[in-house]
Amino acid sequence: MALTIRTRYLQRHAEPESLAFSQESDVLQLDSDLVTGFVLPIYDESVSALTRFLDMPRTDNLISVWVFNAPKGGAEDARRRTESALSHFIDALEMQRLNPHIYLARLNDWHRLIIIDHCAQTRLLPAKKAVGLARKIGADIVIAQLSNHIPTWLYFSDADAILPSDYFDLPSFESRPSACVLGVEHQAEQGLARESALYDFKLHYVAERLKASGSPYGYIALGSIIVIDVDDYCRVRGVPKKSAGEDFYLLNKLAKLHGVESIESPVVSVAGRLSSRVPFGTGQSLEKMKHEHNQGDDYGFDSPKTFADLKYLYDSLEQAILLGEMERIMPSFIGALSKNTKLLDTLKYLGFDTFCQHAHRQVNTPSQFESAFHQWFDGFLTLKFVNHYRSHYYPPVSLESLDAISNEMTHSLKKKYQALITHR
């Protein structure tokens, strides 16, 4: 008998903690196979911030997994604070101890909370894998308790997120995507209002320009707003075990399956706070913005000309595919790109010649060629493309200069832009 995708994943790729929860066990005592998973990695967060995740928006059956973690070689005071928060919830909720580092609380008839201890001195996570591994451990535990045949969503978040009442109310999809990216807005801490607004605008601006260019990678990659189809999660073998950027690389893989869908609602509020715990992300970006503001520098944005060339790339691909004959597609595509020296030189820098050689040998139909191109020119290469254009052709532009394309912005992005311009 063939293994299901979930069973195969659990047997071959899941983390050891998931063995505590077999699909045949009834340790959670849920009254239905309809289950939603919620995964929260926790490192150096306050008890007050975490308490709000006990009162979750209502859904059918919810398994929440909190993974308290700290990295090997990390700050000892941060580890101790994490361990103290873990102990608080174990005691306050009178949690059942399932094994030396896994605890369970039945919060009500539909919500089960599982807490994992990876902050004790003997259970620290490798520094290069920390948050990605923490997310993966939580997700694997959820999957181990699911029915094999029920479509299920996995929600990922962070402790700086504030969840709306409609958090679990996803829209209906004609074709179920591999992942959804929820709406997001950044709420500033005191003294960071301008920086938080700029960062929030930047995220939405880049995602919107990428999407408008025709890129299938035009979404915001933020760990606190990701929802993933369980089966496709298993197909990509779970969260990459990285200390930062795990959300970006996970979505990059999922986009190549059934796509990543950005949805406007529900909207998650994320605290805009300074942080140096990871090498990049919200906290680091705000640190950089605050420094630039203190130095009197204007914060720059990727030039609209960069995204115009990206749109030319995707338009050229589409026109070539419409020719319908393989012997005409490649010459047409390369011929169109040759008219834009910056674009073609950048693609060659990214390995376009190697892609063309592969496509010539392996691709037999127009649809295969299109798919192969998107598999090659993925979210990671798109990021490198934008960075290359920024450093070699079109330097960052000022906020004010974006007024020239304000009529091309969606209503929500234009509203953010106008608020920034008005309150300079």
Side-chain angles (χ1 to χ4, degrees):
M1 181 178 177
L3 297 176
T4 68
I5 182 65
R6 300 179 193 181
T7 301
R8 186 165 62 248
Y9 172 80
L10 290 170
Q11 290 183 0
R12 300 176 183 177
H13 306 295
E15 299 306 311
E17 283 85 349
S18 64
L19 296 176
F21 298 90
S22 69
Q23 293 168 338
E24 292 75 24
S25 72
D26 193 30
V27 66
L28 300 187
Q29 298 180 11
L30 295 170
D31 59 5
S32 169
D33 286 339
L34 295 173
V35 175
T36 298
F38 176 81
V39 179
L40 188 71
I42 298 167
Y43 173 54
D44 198 14
E45 300 289 351
S46 68
V47 167
S48 60
L50 297 173
T51 298
R52 64 174 177 265
F53 293 101
L54 296 175
D55 185 21
M56 296 289 283
R58 182 63 198 259
T59 187
D60 291 320
N61 279 298
L62 180 64
I63 302 174
S64 292
V65 184
W66 297 3
V67 185
F68 286 82
N69 69 98
K72 293 179 180 178
E76 177 60 16
D77 55 346
R79 188 201 68 79
R80 288 177 179 172
R81 287 191 294 268
T82 305
E83 194 170 39
S84 176
L86 166 72
S87 298
H88 167 85
F89 287 103
I90 291 173
D91 295 340
L93 299 175
E94 299 180 346
M95 301 189 75
Q96 174 187 354
R97 190 173 188 173
L98 300 181
N99 71 31
H101 64 282
I102 301 181
Y103 301 82
L104 169 67
R106 299 174 182 86
L107 300 182
N108 52 47
D109 61 351
W110 57 271
H111 187 189
R112 303 292 183 264
L113 172 63
I114 299 166
I115 281 181
I116 314 295
D117 177 5
H118 270 293
C119 58
Q121 283 281 18
T122 57
R123 296 197 53 79
L124 301 180
L125 298 181
K128 292 184 178 181
K129 299 180 179 181
V131 67
L133 180 54
R135 292 193 199 276
K136 187 174 186 296
I137 289 168
D140 291 355
I141 285 176
V142 172
I143 295 169
Q145 189 61 28
L146 298 178
S147 166
N148 261 321
H149 62 279
I150 304 294
T152 304
W153 294 109
L154 268 175
Y155 283 71
F156 291 86
S157 194
D158 288 310
D160 58 356
I162 300 174
L163 310 181
S165 59
D166 61 346
Y167 179 62
F168 294 113
D169 298 338
L170 296 183
S172 299
F173 300 102
E174 289 186 14
S175 179
R176 187 179 174 100
S178 292
C180 302
V181 170
L182 305 181
V184 61
E185 59 182 9
H186 286 79
Q187 301 293 331
E189 289 187 347
Q190 186 173 2
L192 292 174
R194 179 71 178 174
E195 290 82 3
S196 292
L198 282 167
Y199 181 69
D200 189 72
F201 174 78
K202 174 195 172 185
L203 289 178
H204 288 86
Y205 164 73
V206 172
E208 191 170 291
R209 299 313 294 176
L210 286 175
K211 187 174 182 179
S213 75
S215 171
Y217 303 95
Y219 47 75
I220 296 174
L222 201 61
S224 51
I225 58 171
I226 297 174
V227 185
I228 300 175
D229 175 82
V230 167
D231 288 338
D232 282 351
Y233 174 90
C234 293
R235 289 185 176 96
V236 300
R237 302 183 181 181
V239 181
K241 292 185 275 190
K242 295 177 175 288
S243 61
E246 79 290 344
D247 40 14
F248 174 85
Y249 289 102
L250 176 59
L251 288 176
N252 192 43
K253 291 181 179 181
L254 292 163
K256 298 176 183 182
L257 292 180
H258 301 110
V260 175
E261 186 79 20
S262 297
I263 57 179
E264 294 185 0
S265 178
V267 177
V268 175
S269 296
V270 176
R273 58 184 184 177
L274 300 179
S275 174
S276 57
R277 293 183 298 179
V278 295
F280 48 86
T282 302
Q284 283 289 331
S285 295
L286 293 177
E287 288 272 13
K288 182 174 183 291
M289 288 179 176
K290 190 169 183 65
H291 174 75
E292 289 176 348
H293 177 73
N294 291 338
Q295 296 295 320
D297 297 332
D298 289 326
Y299 185 72
F301 299 86
D302 289 309
S303 171
K305 294 179 180 178
T306 295
F307 300 106
D309 275 10
L310 198 58
K311 186 176 188 308
Y312 179 80
L313 167 64
Y314 285 112
D315 287 347
S316 299
L317 174 65
E318 181 180 2
Q319 292 300 314
I321 295 298
L322 289 175
L323 295 174
E325 299 174 2
M326 283 304 302
E327 60 269 20
R328 299 175 63 193
I329 288 176
M330 187 73 79
S332 172
F333 188 38
I334 295 177
L337 298 179
S338 299
K339 297 176 182 178
N340 187 323
T341 303
K342 296 185 183 69
L343 177 58
L344 185 57
D345 286 349
T346 301
L347 290 175
K348 287 179 177 291
Y349 163 74
L350 297 174
F352 184 63
D353 289 341
T354 301
F355 162 75
C356 290
Q357 293 169 11
H358 165 79
H360 182 74
R361 292 192 306 267
Q362 303 292 332
V363 172
N364 299 312
T365 68
S367 62
Q368 287 179 357
F369 181 84
E370 184 176 25
S371 176
F373 180 80
H374 290 310
Q375 291 282 326
W376 170 71
F377 194 67
D378 60 5
F380 180 65
L381 281 194
T382 301
L383 177 63
K384 292 187 71 174
F385 176 96
V386 172
N387 289 342
H388 188 80
Y389 257 65
R390 184 191 308 127
S391 59
H392 288 78
Y393 304 129
Y394 302 127
V397 300
S398 67
L399 181 69
E400 289 79 8
S401 71
L402 296 181
D403 184 64
I405 62 161
S406 61
N407 289 335
E408 301 174 21
M409 298 178 185
T410 61
H411 174 74
S412 59
L413 185 65
K414 191 171 184 179
K415 186 176 179 180
K416 295 176 187 292
Y417 177 72
Q418 291 173 338
L420 283 168
I421 291 295
T422 302
H423 298 100
R424 280 196 65 83

